[in-house]
Amino acid sequence: MGSSIALAIRRTAHTRQNFSPPDPPNDRLFEFQSRHPPTADTCDGCPAEWEVKRRVREDKTPQPHYGIIASGNAVIKDGETRERLREAIGALCFEMEAAGLMQDFPYIVIRGICDYADSHKDKQWQGYAALAAASYTKELLRRNPWILV
Ligand SMILES: [Zn+2]
């Protein structure tokens, strides 16, 4: 999956602009109780003490996770709400687009996770996450064409 993502990013100036991953230091996970200042546009002023210390990933390619994607009609951008839902239903992530489909036909949801559903959320990983999800979907269908029948 990693090489197909790299090819898609390199395709044009537009794809490089919109789908390249931000620098890894921009992947900041904050303690769920921390509150992003409401008037701040970026997390540049959010203290390093609020960050969850994590091991640096050696493999930078997107990793698939399999499990519950909570679907609803509101954006989750509160760390405490995220944690409460994670503990209650085991949600790995949250999304808003698939909820309406459930009544109409069988489906699976494939999402690229681009933020931590907390008050610090921003859009800088959206393009790359969307590309990762599209790449995964393409590979899934290539290997399992019977899914479309
Ligand atoms: Zn912040």
Side-chain angles (χ1 to χ4, degrees), residues 30 35-37 42-44 46 50 119-120:
F30 294 97
R35 297 265 182 234
H36 181 81
T42 71
C43 287
D44 292 347
C46 292
W50 292 357
S119 61
H120 304 275

Side-chain angles (χ1 to χ4, degrees), residues 121-141:
K121 90 187 239 94
D122 61 28
K123 298 181 180 223
Q124 60 182 317
W125 287 88
Q126 277 188 346
Y128 186 66
L131 178 61
S135 177
Y136 182 87
T137 303
K138 182 179 177 183
E139 187 64 19
L140 179 71
L141 294 173

Side-chain angles (χ1 to χ4, degrees), residues 45-90:
C46 292
E49 305 89 70
W50 292 357
E51 283 188 59
V52 175
K53 304 298 177 226
R54 299 180 291 170
R55 186 169 41 90
V56 176
R57 287 180 53 196
E58 292 179 25
D59 182 358
K60 304 292 188 216
T61 58
Q63 299 297 306
H65 301 274
Y66 303 92
I68 296 171
I69 299 173
S71 192
N73 61 2
V75 174
I76 304 295
K77 49 184 178 182
D78 177 78
E80 292 182 6
T81 301
R82 176 196 72 211
E83 286 304 300
R84 192 174 64 252
L85 289 168
R86 185 182 63 77
E87 289 174 10
I89 62 173

